[in-house]
Amino acid sequence: MVTFQERHLMEKEQIHLPVMNKEVQEYLNLKPGDTFVDCTLGLGGHAREAALRIGERGRLVGIDRDGKAIEIARERLADAPVHCDFVHDDFRHLEEILGRLQIKKVNGILMDLGVSSMQLNDPERGFSIRENGPLDMRMNQDNFISAYDLVNSLTEHELSFILKKYGEERWHGRIARYIVQERSKHPIETTKELSDIVWRAVPAHNRYQKIHPATRSFQAIRIAVNRELESLEIVLGKCIDALAQGGRLCVISFHSLEDRIVKHTFRLFAKEKRVEILTKKPLRPNDAEVSENIRARSARFRAVEKI
């Protein structure tokens, strides 16, 4: 019979490790019997490594807004040598989640922010710029508001504001105007339609950059749909409250807006003597990891320890 450890090693050879996993495990510094919370469980990559460290006496809480991800992670961790709790919820409700599970303090918390590879690779989820699919972008598909709703109902001013604030898009005004003009003819229903509109809105000399010209617009709309930055601002303080003394919080962000919130919040907590900052500057993935997993390219890693 293949053990969890043996299967884990075999899977490592077949799939990419989760982003910056070596740094995550090093800074979490989990020990046998610890309680660990993965606020962004995804497919359970980081959680699998953590499970081996905390062992049979440990407890693992996996939270994710994506019900499909929860199902896959539950299957992958079915034989993990640890007690697992799987929670389909937004991590902004961390305090309530731990209360329901009757957990008072935890030893480590991880947040791997942004959209997952599974979500990006599924055109039906509507996150992809290059693959055509419905204009959805909901991480939790039980939610009512999708990208379709925002793109087809917000005013030009509101769209421009979102593109500027959440995408830091230089051409936010032009893009918003093009969207409103196009939807006056017919609803914008697919990712390809939106991507093509942004392409036309961006001046020709700015279309051929390192990233697709619609990347920032898609990011902005996705963040607005899922209220990602709002959730992040809400949960960071709850994470520190939930940690036992000496417990650690690790955060991986993938764009400057997320990283700025984490950096400033960590500095505030350090000033208040609530935490010690373990990463004076954000850690970045090495060249070898980026060559194996392009998603790691923009990752920034920060960690603190509760005093």
Side-chain angles (χ1 to χ4, degrees):
M1 180 178 177
V2 178
T3 67
F4 177 84
Q5 289 86 344
E6 290 169 337
R7 183 160 62 86
H8 179 61
L9 289 172
M10 287 189 290
E11 286 193 11
K12 270 190 177 183
E13 297 176 357
Q14 299 170 10
I15 61 174
H16 288 303
L17 285 173
V19 171
M20 300 189 74
N21 191 54
K22 180 177 180 294
E23 292 83 355
V24 167
Q25 302 304 329
E26 176 185 344
Y27 277 86
L28 281 174
N29 194 31
L30 295 169
K31 299 175 176 60
D34 279 353
T35 298
F36 165 65
V37 179
D38 191 335
C39 285
T40 48
L41 181 62
L43 303 186
H46 289 300
R48 286 173 63 82
E49 293 279 347
L52 293 174
R53 294 171 184 266
I54 62 180
E56 294 180 358
R57 295 184 293 108
R59 188 169 185 180
L60 189 156
V61 179
I63 305 169
D64 206 289
R65 290 191 282 188
D66 190 329
K68 185 176 180 181
I70 288 282
E71 291 175 9
I72 295 172
R74 186 191 298 274
E75 184 176 338
R76 292 189 68 206
L77 291 162
D79 60 344
V82 64
H83 176 85
C84 296
D85 297 284
F86 299 95
V87 184
H88 181 205
D89 204 341
D90 188 324
F91 57 56
R92 69 164 64 195
H93 302 133
L94 178 64
E95 183 180 10
E96 294 84 352
I97 292 167
L98 295 181
R100 291 198 302 268
L101 296 174
Q102 298 183 326
I103 296 174
K104 294 182 178 180
K105 295 292 179 182
V106 305
N107 306 101
I109 301 176
L110 171 66
M111 302 175 68
D112 181 1
L113 303 172
V115 62
S116 73
S117 297
M118 179 189 74
Q119 292 164 334
L120 279 173
N121 294 337
D122 182 358
E124 292 302 310
R125 300 297 299 272
F127 291 102
S128 175
I129 295 170
R130 302 184 187 279
E131 299 292 335
N132 195 27
L135 199 55
D136 192 331
M137 300 192 195
R138 291 172 298 168
M139 291 181 178
N140 183 349
Q141 295 191 295
D142 292 337
N143 288 349
F144 294 110
I145 297 176
S146 68
Y148 173 90
D149 299 309
L150 297 189
V151 168
N152 288 287
S153 63
L154 295 181
T155 66
E156 181 178 329
H157 174 75
E158 290 169 332
L159 284 168
S160 177
F161 175 80
I162 284 174
L163 296 175
K164 181 180 180 181
K165 182 176 181 181
Y166 297 143
E168 298 180 308
E169 172 56 63
R170 177 182 179 185
W171 306 105
H172 56 94
R174 285 173 60 100
I175 294 169
R177 184 164 67 253
Y178 271 63
I179 289 173
V180 170
Q181 289 172 351
E182 190 65 28
R183 78 186 190 196
S184 69
K185 306 170 190 175
H186 59 81
I188 300 167
E189 298 183 335
T190 69
T191 54
K192 187 177 187 307
E193 286 180 85
L194 179 60
S195 179
D196 288 347
I197 292 167
V198 176
W199 176 274
R200 295 195 302 272
V202 171
H205 63 277
N206 280 94
R207 292 173 185 164
Y208 301 97
Q209 306 294 326
K210 288 184 178 180
I211 63 172
H212 191 285
T215 299
R216 293 186 180 88
S217 295
F218 270 61
Q219 171 188 298
I221 294 167
R222 188 203 82 216
I223 288 173
V225 167
N226 296 289
R227 300 166 66 186
E228 294 174 37
L229 300 186
E230 178 184 319
S231 290
L232 179 59
E233 290 173 335
I234 288 171
V235 79
L236 289 173
K238 294 184 177 183
C239 287
I240 302 306
D241 290 340
L243 286 172
Q245 186 175 7
R248 294 183 174 187
L249 167 61
C250 298
V251 183
I252 304 173
S253 58
F254 290 89
H255 57 75
S256 59
L257 295 174
E258 292 172 338
D259 185 58
R260 200 174 301 146
I261 291 171
V262 176
K263 177 179 69 175
H264 291 160
T265 304
F266 281 3
R267 285 180 177 176
L268 175 63
F269 290 164
K271 190 174 182 180
E272 295 172 346
K273 306 297 183 184
R274 299 177 67 187
V275 303
E276 176 188 353
I277 296 176
L278 303 177
T279 50
K280 302 305 179 185
K281 293 183 178 180
L283 304 184
R284 304 297 299 271
N286 58 39
D287 293 341
E289 179 172 3
V290 173
S291 67
E292 290 183 3
N293 181 8
I294 193 63
R295 179 176 176 259
R297 178 180 55 192
S298 58
R300 297 174 177 87
F301 175 91
R302 295 181 186 272
V304 293
E305 179 176 300
K306 184 170 182 178
I307 297 174

